[in-house]
Amino acid sequence: AADVYRPAAIDQLRTLGAQIDVPVVGEAGRQPVDICAAAVRDAAERGLSPVVLDTAGWLHIDEAMLDELRQMKAAVKPHHILLVVDAMTGQDAVTVAEKFNAAVGIDAVILTKMDGDSRGGAALSVRHVTGRPIAFVGVGEKVEALEPFHPDRLASRLVGMGDVLSLVEKA
């Protein structure tokens, strides 16, 4: 839990971690890079893998945050970098994805708030500017609302054909 900027972010992750039986490392007042390094060490000592490092949220580009991410990347040498963006922010999501990818490189994107078809534009644009796949979409507030992204299904919804396969899977 390396988001030390948003009030209660660490507590929120601790609550989520308790619900899904996943340990959470994080402490208010510590530097995010130090929290990430400690989490990686803790996971190695416990024999846990993978390790998910949750950093500060992005609503706009901030050079200090980009520097912090570069430091994290150098300190922990992650295997994969996933960028989580809010599909409802439209062009801002695209700008953040483009800058984030240029600064630290990403392997894939997770788009949240994809509950409606109007968010499809963000998916197409983020994929285009980063050249990286969209791995997952969030379609609700609960843990089980994180789903694999199926571009063909989104395309079907966008052209008014519906997403019958997702409906069948849920049923």
Side-chain angles (χ1 to χ4, degrees), residues 9-27:
I10 293 173
D11 293 335
Q12 185 179 22
L13 277 183
R14 286 190 196 286
T15 300
L16 176 62
Q19 291 172 1
I20 60 175
D21 197 28
V22 172
V24 174
V25 174
E27 185 180 326

Side-chain angles (χ1 to χ4, degrees), residues 21 50 54 59 79 85-86 89 103 171:
D21 197 28
D54 179 51
L59 295 177
H79 292 102
V85 292
D86 180 340
T89 61

Side-chain angles (χ1 to χ4, degrees), residues 26-165:
E27 185 180 326
R30 291 184 68 191
Q31 293 297 313
V33 175
D34 296 336
I35 292 170
C36 290
V40 170
R41 282 192 306 273
D42 182 71
E45 289 170 5
R46 295 180 191 216
L48 300 175
S49 179
V51 177
V52 176
L53 305 173
D54 179 51
T55 63
W58 289 73
L59 295 177
H60 60 282
I61 301 304
D62 179 324
E63 196 58 41
M65 291 178 98
L66 288 174
D67 286 340
E68 184 175 274
L69 288 170
R70 289 181 192 107
Q71 292 171 22
M72 283 180 196
K73 183 177 179 179
V76 301
K77 297 171 182 51
H79 292 102
H80 300 286
I81 298 176
L82 303 176
L83 173 64
V84 180
V85 292
D86 180 340
M88 291 183 64
T89 61
Q91 187 57 41
D92 286 340
V94 176
T95 302
V96 166
E98 186 174 34
K99 298 293 185 185
F100 190 96
N101 188 45
V104 295
I106 60 174
D107 296 299
V109 177
I110 298 173
L111 281 172
T112 63
K113 300 183 184 168
M114 287 289 288
D115 307 67
D117 296 339
S118 63
R119 300 340 167 245
L124 296 173
S125 297
V126 167
R127 170 70 171 100
H128 177 74
V129 301
T130 64
R132 299 294 184 219
I134 297 168
F136 298 97
V137 292
V139 293
E141 296 291 325
K142 305 233 184 255
V143 173
E144 56 274 1
L146 184 65
E147 300 176 349
F149 177 67
H150 301 284
D152 54 335
R153 296 179 189 183
L154 175 66
S156 292
R157 283 198 317 260
L158 289 175
V159 297
M161 295 174 59
D163 181 358
V164 177
L165 286 177

